[in-house]
Amino acid sequence: AQKITQTQPGMFVQEKEAVTLDCTYDTSDPSYGLFWYKQPSSGEMIFLIYQGSYDQQNATEGRYSLNFQKARKSANLVISASQLGDSAMYFCAMRYMEYGNKLVFGAGTILRVKS
Amino acid sequence: KAGVTQTPRYLIKTRGQQVTLSCSPISGHRSVSWYQQTPGQGLQFLFEYFSETQRNKGNFPGRFSGRQFSNSRSEMNVSTLELGDSALYLCASSPRTGVFTEAFFGQGTRLTVV
């Protein structure tokens, strides 16, 4: 069963605008961690932001914020003030005990920032 | 603080050969996980090592093996290479194991089997 769903294969955003990348997840485990990674064409997987299932507040890291809606099982990534360097593949991932704490990834969303 | 280092960055091997990939985690991190990334299958978990013990293994054939040393460095070995093993292999470093633990990746090793 698909555990992490990213419904947007590709997105375009104008430079300096904000963009939201969608992610929904499926688990009955109450304890889980949610992650977003950026993968530029070079291949490196860059950690962006983390949210634990018991965290009350949405996580933020600079221009990145995670819109965590637990009841809807969604963990959308919001990038504010997009930059050309934000063009990359973005992966949503989850760790949960049922899967032995390994990271389970979504299919990814390709983001292109236009100047 | 140095990040996760994977060597080599690129490899070209012939079908039937074997290959060893190396991963040095962030200093102080004790958990190392390996992932395979292909266009068709996406990112798939291979195995996790913590304190030199394999904690978890993905659904890969026995040709894929790994180990972790006392300094937390890890190696992954693939024997009898097949064309389908061509992929980007990513190593992730975590300070500990568990669901509430961040994972930091290296730049990956791009393996091409010809």
Side-chain angles (χ1 to χ4, degrees), chain A residues 1-101:
Chain A
Q2 187 80 352
K3 294 294 182 181
I4 296 282
T5 303
Q6 295 180 251
T7 57
Q8 308 150 312
M11 291 275 288
F12 282 96
V13 64
Q14 196 67 37
E15 193 178 10
K16 299 181 184 176
E17 291 186 349
V19 63
T20 298
L21 305 184
D22 294 342
C23 173
T24 57
Y25 58 92
D26 181 23
T27 180
S28 56
D29 197 322
S31 301
Y32 51 90
L34 294 159
F35 306 80
W36 277 93
Y37 289 90
K38 170 186 177 182
Q39 188 177 44
S41 56
S42 61
E44 182 180 8
M45 193 73 78
I46 301 168
F47 168 78
L48 295 177
I49 198 165
Y50 155 81
Q51 178 93 36
S53 59
Y54 298 111
D55 294 341
Q56 296 295 313
Q57 292 192 323
N58 288 342
T60 59
E61 289 285 350
R63 295 186 299 110
Y64 304 106
S65 60
L66 199 155
N67 185 1
F68 181 45
Q69 297 187 44
K70 195 169 183 177
R72 297 180 60 186
K73 295 189 176 180
S74 75
N76 298 338
L77 176 71
V78 180
I79 305 175
S80 63
S82 297
Q83 302 171 355
L84 295 177
D86 293 336
S87 293
M89 178 74 91
Y90 288 80
F91 290 97
C92 177
M94 177 170 64
R95 279 201 211 251
Y96 53 112
M97 291 178 66
E98 179 190 348
Y99 258 42
N101 302 328

Side-chain angles (χ1 to χ4, degrees), chain A residues 31-33 35 37 39 41-45 47 50 52-54 91 95-97 99-103 105-106, chain B residues 9-10 33 35 37 43 45 48 56 58 88 90 92 94 96-107 110:
Chain A
S31 301
Y32 51 90
F35 306 80
Y37 289 90
Q39 188 177 44
S41 56
S42 61
E44 182 180 8
M45 193 73 78
F47 168 78
Y50 155 81
S53 59
Y54 298 111
F91 290 97
R95 279 201 211 251
Y96 53 112
M97 291 178 66
Y99 258 42
N101 302 328
K102 66 186 180 190
L103 279 166
F105 288 86
Chain B
R9 290 290 312 280
Y10 302 92
S33 300
Y35 293 81
Q37 185 178 25
L43 281 144
F45 171 79
E48 179 194 11
N56 200 357
L88 179 66
L90 291 160
S94 297
R96 56 195 172 278
T97 190
V99 298
F100 301 121
T101 305
E102 296 159 343
F104 301 92
F105 285 82
Q107 291 182 301
R110 196 170 293 277

Side-chain angles (χ1 to χ4, degrees), chain B residues 17-102:
Chain B
Q17 287 185 315
Q18 68 95 27
V19 67
T20 299
L21 312 182
S22 178
C23 173
S24 293
I26 293 169
S27 177
H29 285 197
R30 297 167 63 192
S31 171
V32 174
S33 300
W34 290 88
Y35 293 81
Q36 182 197 64
Q37 185 178 25
T38 59
Q41 300 296 318
L43 281 144
Q44 293 185 289
F45 171 79
L46 282 155
F47 24 66
E48 179 194 11
Y49 287 88
F50 180 77
S51 294
E52 301 179 66
T53 302
Q54 187 180 89
R55 295 291 298 260
N56 200 357
K57 190 176 191 305
N59 190 24
F60 278 82
R63 300 184 298 106
F64 291 81
S65 63
R67 59 179 175 169
Q68 186 180 35
F69 302 95
S70 58
N71 62 358
S72 293
R73 189 177 71 86
S74 176
E75 287 183 347
M76 190 192 94
N77 185 275
V78 187
S79 62
T80 319
L81 284 165
E82 300 177 359
L83 296 179
D85 297 333
S86 294
L88 179 66
Y89 290 88
L90 291 160
C91 162
S93 162
S94 297
R96 56 195 172 278
T97 190
V99 298
F100 301 121
T101 305
E102 296 159 343

